Structure formats: C-alpha cells, structure tokens
Amino acid sequence: MQTRQNARTLLDLARVMVKQARILRDEGFAARARDVARRAIALDRLAWSMLKPQPAPVRIVASRRLH
C-alpha cells in the first residue's frame, strides 16, 4: 500500500500549499500565491487519481461457468 501512503502525503502537501498560498495572498504576493495554488491543485488531482481503484483481472474457473 505504498501508493496510498504516497497519495496521502501528496494530499497533505497540497493542503499545506493552499494554506501557504493564502498567507502569500494576504501579504500582497498575489501572483506567487496563484502559482503555489495551481501547483497545489495539480498535486491534489494527482493524489486523488492515485487513490482511484484500478481494475484487476479476474480469472473465472471453468467448472463454475454457467452452461
């Protein structure tokens, strides 16, 4: 489950980056805040795509098939 841990770490990082962007915006650095927020959104999307369930191949045993 290393992928889930990495995704959670990315989500935490994105959350902190959004807080940092708010601080930058309040201090008057709107352009820098916008850049940080865009990166945070990209990380958030990446993390949620990592958490999305992936299809797994399923093998059907021949004796259990309906005839």
Side-chain angles (χ1 to χ4, degrees):
M1 286 294 146
Q2 186 68 25
T3 303
R4 292 188 75 77
Q5 289 175 346
N6 290 343
R8 291 290 174 198
T9 303
L10 287 175
L11 285 172
D12 292 340
L13 177 61
R15 204 170 294 121
V16 170
M17 288 175 71
V18 167
K19 291 178 184 177
Q20 186 179 34
R22 287 183 185 143
I23 292 169
L24 286 169
R25 182 196 62 200
D26 293 343
E27 294 293 323
F29 298 104
R32 182 71 179 137
R34 199 174 309 116
D35 291 340
V36 172
R38 284 185 181 140
R39 289 180 186 162
I41 291 169
L43 286 176
D44 184 71
R45 287 181 182 160
L46 173 64
W48 281 109
S49 69
M50 291 169 69
L51 288 172
K52 189 172 22 174
Q54 298 295 323
V58 177
R59 177 177 281 171
I60 299 173
V61 179
S63 64
R64 298 189 73 181
R65 286 189 187 155
L66 297 175
H67 297 286

